[in-house]
Amino acid sequence: MRRTDTGDPNYFHKVVDCQWACPAHTNVPEYIRLIAQGRYTDAYIVNRESNVFPAILGRTCDRPCEPACRRERLDGKPVAICRLKRVAADHRGDIAERLPKIPTKKNGKRIACVGSGPASLAVANDLMPLGYEVVMFEKLDKPGGLMRTNIPSFRLPASVLDEEIDIILNMGVDIRYNSPVTSMKALLEEGFDAVFVGSGAPRGKDLEIPGRHETDRIHIGIDWLESITFGHVESVGERVLIIGVGNTAMDCCRSSRRLGGKDIKVMARRPRGYFKASSWELEDAEEEGVEIVINHAPKRFVIESGKLKGMEFERLEWDAGARNSRVIDTIFLPADDVILAIGQENAFPWIERGLGIDFDKWDMPVVDEKTMQSTRPGIFFGGDAAWGPKNIIWAVEHAHQAAISIDNYREGIQVTERPPQGMNLISQKMGISEWSYHNDYNPASRQKMRHVDLTRRFEQLNIEVELGFTAEQTAREVQRCLNCDIETVFTAERCIECDACIDVCPLLCLTIARDGEEEDLRQRLSAPANNLAQAIFASAPLPQTHRLMFKDEDLCVHCGLCAERCPTAAWDMQKFELQIPYAGRPACISSCVPA
């Protein structure tokens, strides 16, 4: 079996499952430890280094880190990573002196950003400290893009949104409100050194079935939510049908409840296991009295004398894999309003064809997934504009990569030349059997988020439903983290093959064995290693017998017992830090990350 190269940053990075799963690779274990120490401002800065919007994402992230959390393999519930992010944001102190410094003398390069959503804002965040002038074109009179228009204020208060956006705009961004870009050709003629398109996926999908255009009581979900944000919609009928079951549908049904809806149904074509909405969004909607109806396909809108009466649906029965269905019968459901939340798509009527920007068969720009550059050099895309609807955290990571590419492009470096990641390993040993971190397993259960009482949350549209963790809840939740970035580092030359580490390991993740092919070896370990997504550590040959030390990274919970028991210090517990490069800044320990 190939010997493990622990000098490759990706090896230990992949063992830190939460950080690996995060698109922006936020250092989750580090900020959780800082929260445990009451160092909320430090925790916020660690967050902001990579994800840019800790307070916003602490409320709205779709949490790709949590399904990857190692804790879920032990007790079925991941650490509440996202909600702890909010704890750091809600309790931080002044960060003004710890933000990137903006040079007074600019570098003479002007970058245009189309839209002021998370992708464009994150590009500005990365480029402004390098001396770039960033001009941001926003069609509305407020910044934030779909973060503002499509996320209801009961989930993301405007004050939270404004505070984190203003941190970036106050770097000196030239933002031009009420200034939609109607022509890419005209924009290019203004002489910008590069253009970043972060305009989102601003068009909601329609449902072209009989009756669609015979009434004004059928609404496109994202447009309807925007109308609420700007005060153009203040009420809804008592009976509301929401078509679709993604997160936008959840925002629509919960908004309907606050605008006067009484009988609200979310209509899903498939069974619950195939919903796109996050589980916590579904739970919140159902807690508020929304009914989720499965296996119903829209057939037609029922209109009488120009007035919406309801909808006809085909009731479906699916096979075991939910791939094929058959119609059982047809039913009618009454409705005063219907809201279509069946997805979003991009619209680029303002980009003239023939400029060198290629589009694919779905009329999406052809974008390199690593550099974020289009087929025309100097024009970059990110966020929903590049890949269709995703969460804010994806837009941020796209922006980091686009900013690197823009800086390369203006410096005459190939955009495909990506700065390498680095890493740092620091021993956590403090004494014979003492470590600088708590390595005991805490059996605390995942803490339940507190909510505003149902009787009060519907009084106003902007009452934030989630209240955040109390100090006691925070203390319990941070103790659930297994410190997966504290790595077991092995030095083969020191091993005397006494088997002490194997004997003490509570999860049978260590084995000393003869070499062999990986497929065979995985079955010869102390416990069979069937999760092929996680690596098997393979040491250099041991001095005594030339066998190898193997470790199943999937099982290890980083308890450190192997290092405590080892009589020769062949095992050590060392904190891994992934060093991430950003635009104009090579991979190194950031000056803003606390020691």
Side-chain angles (χ1 to χ4, degrees):
M1 181 173 170
R2 179 180 296 178
R3 309 300 181 258
T4 299
D5 178 11
T6 56
D8 178 357
N10 278 330
Y11 179 76
F12 283 133
H13 181 200
K14 193 170 183 179
V15 175
V16 191
D17 301 82
C18 52
Q19 187 179 19
W20 178 265
C22 173
H25 304 313
T26 300
N27 191 344
V28 174
E30 178 70 4
Y31 81 68
I32 290 178
R33 276 192 300 272
L34 291 168
I35 291 171
Q37 298 167 26
R39 297 168 60 185
Y40 302 114
T41 305
D42 290 340
Y44 181 89
I45 292 296
V46 168
N47 261 284
R48 194 185 184 282
E49 180 80 357
S50 56
N51 75 32
V52 182
F53 305 108
I56 294 170
L57 283 165
R59 291 163 165 83
T60 63
C61 192
D62 63 0
R63 313 174 191 178
C65 54
E66 293 192 13
C69 178
R70 199 171 292 260
R71 180 75 188 220
E72 185 173 31
R73 304 175 206 172
L74 297 182
D75 62 13
K77 294 288 185 180
V79 175
I81 297 169
C82 182
R83 284 163 171 167
L84 288 175
K85 192 190 314 289
R86 174 181 171 173
V87 169
D90 287 355
H91 296 283
R92 70 167 173 83
D94 183 21
I95 62 169
E97 294 302 315
R98 302 177 67 172
L99 293 172
K101 306 303 178 187
I102 309 303
T104 54
K105 184 178 181 180
K106 302 299 182 181
N107 65 12
K109 307 297 183 182
R110 297 170 67 242
I111 310 301
C113 288
V114 181
S116 67
S120 289
L121 289 166
V123 164
N125 177 81
D126 287 7
L127 293 182
M128 291 295 294
L130 302 181
Y132 286 90
E133 293 182 61
V134 175
V135 181
M136 200 171 286
F137 297 90
E138 171 52 53
K139 69 177 182 179
L140 302 175
D141 60 1
K142 291 182 179 179
L146 297 183
M147 292 192 297
R148 185 179 299 278
T149 61
N150 279 185
I151 303 177
S153 54
F154 57 80
R155 286 181 56 212
L156 178 60
S159 59
V160 174
L161 184 67
D162 290 338
E163 184 176 27
E164 291 201 317
I165 290 176
D166 285 348
I167 289 173
I168 297 173
L169 296 184
N170 290 341
M171 292 177 176
V173 176
D174 178 5
I175 184 164
R176 303 178 183 180
Y177 298 114
N178 302 307
S179 301
V181 176
T182 57
S183 167
M184 175 64 84
K185 184 174 184 291
L187 183 66
L188 293 173
E189 289 172 352
E190 293 189 34
F192 289 101
D193 293 284
V195 174
F196 177 79
V197 180
S199 54
R203 187 169 64 190
K205 291 183 179 179
D206 212 331
L207 183 62
E208 296 295 342
I209 56 176
R212 168 63 183 93
H213 301 289
E214 298 176 24
T215 174
D216 62 356
R217 303 307 294 266
I218 302 169
H219 317 280
I220 301 294
I222 64 171
D223 297 338
W224 187 73
L225 289 171
E226 180 178 318
S227 295
I228 295 172
T229 298
F230 290 100
H232 304 313
V233 169
E234 297 179 345
S235 64
V236 74
E238 291 193 359
R239 300 172 301 180
V240 184
L241 295 176
I242 314 293
I243 311 302
V245 70
N247 285 337
T248 297
M250 297 302 102
D251 289 337
C252 289
C253 68
R254 296 180 70 193
S255 296
S256 298
R257 183 75 173 81
R258 286 156 175 78
L259 294 177
K262 298 290 190 293
D263 178 9
I264 304 170
K265 292 181 173 65
V266 172
M267 309 302 297
R269 181 183 178 86
R270 289 177 178 270
R272 195 176 184 107
Y274 295 86
F275 291 180
K276 291 185 177 180
S278 304
S279 59
W280 54 91
E281 296 285 358
L282 291 164
E283 291 167 5
D284 287 347
E286 290 179 314
E287 182 184 22
E288 294 178 0
V290 173
E291 182 182 356
I292 312 292
V293 182
I294 64 172
N295 301 341
H296 281 65
K299 185 176 182 182
R300 70 183 182 99
F301 298 99
V302 178
I303 314 293
E304 293 182 5
S305 303
K307 183 177 181 180
L308 176 69
K309 291 297 183 180
M311 286 188 71
E312 239 180 47
F313 293 86
E314 293 178 334
R315 197 158 62 91
L316 306 177
E317 184 178 74
W318 294 88
D319 62 18
R323 292 184 177 181
N324 300 302
S325 64
R326 65 181 184 88
V327 177
I328 300 175
D329 56 22
T330 300
I331 68 166
F332 168 79
L333 292 176
D336 302 308
D337 285 276
V338 174
I339 302 170
L340 305 178
I342 56 176
Q344 295 165 230
E345 57 191 7
N346 296 73
F348 296 102
W350 55 276
I351 299 181
E352 296 89 349
R353 302 324 188 243
L355 294 177
I357 304 172
D358 292 344
F359 287 79
D360 62 21
K361 62 181 180 181
W362 296 282
D363 207 31
M364 288 283 287
V366 177
V367 178
D368 185 277
E369 62 180 355
K370 291 185 178 179
T371 68
M372 310 308 295
Q373 185 170 243
S374 71
T375 52
R376 173 168 174 154
I379 298 181
F380 304 84
F381 289 74
D384 295 355
W387 308 110
K390 287 180 177 285
N391 190 259
I392 296 168
I393 191 63
W394 283 100
V396 169
E397 174 56 15
H398 295 162
H400 287 319
Q401 298 308 314
I404 291 172
S405 295
I406 291 170
D407 189 49
N408 280 4
Y409 178 71
R410 293 321 320 162
E411 292 297 320
I413 302 170
Q414 291 289 330
V415 295
T416 52
E417 187 174 319
R418 314 309 286 178
Q421 293 180 336
M423 72 172 192
N424 198 24
L425 283 171
I426 302 175
S427 177
Q428 302 301 290
K429 198 169 186 64
M430 303 287 286
I432 294 177
S433 60
E434 184 180 2
W435 307 93
S436 66
Y437 73 106
H438 294 290
N439 63 338
D440 58 325
Y441 172 78
N442 193 300
S445 58
R446 181 180 167 112
Q447 299 301 293
K448 185 175 177 60
M449 175 58 67
R450 299 174 302 135
H451 292 81
V452 171
D453 291 340
L454 276 171
T455 54
R456 182 170 173 266
R457 72 176 72 168
F458 305 126
E459 293 175 1
Q460 294 179 337
L461 192 64
N462 61 354
I463 294 177
E464 187 173 12
V465 172
E466 293 191 353
L467 295 172
F469 283 159
T470 64
E472 292 77 13
Q473 286 180 304
T474 299
R476 293 190 187 98
E477 192 62 38
V478 294
Q479 291 168 9
R480 299 184 67 240
C481 179
L482 297 173
N483 297 288
C484 291
D485 62 332
I486 309 297
E487 305 290 354
T488 50
V489 177
F490 183 71
T491 305
E493 293 82 359
R494 295 178 181 171
C495 181
I496 58 173
E497 302 182 48
C498 66
D499 283 1
C501 57
I502 295 171
D503 292 341
V504 77
C505 178
L507 291 169
L508 304 177
C509 65
L510 299 177
T511 308
I512 297 177
R514 56 179 171 79
D515 200 358
E517 295 296 326
E518 181 172 347
E519 183 178 356
D520 168 63
L521 182 70
R522 281 179 172 270
Q523 301 307 310
R524 290 194 283 115
L525 300 180
S526 300
N530 296 318
N531 182 2
L532 301 181
Q534 278 279 12
I536 298 295
F537 168 80
S539 76
L542 302 179
Q544 306 297 322
T545 65
H546 299 288
R547 294 180 300 168
L548 276 61
M549 176 69 75
F550 296 102
K551 173 171 174 275
D552 183 357
E553 297 288 8
D554 185 51
L555 293 178
C556 180
V557 293
H558 304 252
C559 66
L561 291 177
C562 56
E564 288 185 16
R565 180 64 66 88
C566 181
T568 63
W571 287 107
D572 190 19
M573 302 304 294
Q574 298 183 11
K575 183 170 75 171
F576 166 78
E577 180 186 18
L578 179 69
Q579 297 167 350
I580 303 173
Y582 295 101
R585 183 149 51 100
C588 60
I589 301 174
S590 168
S591 60
C592 69
V593 177

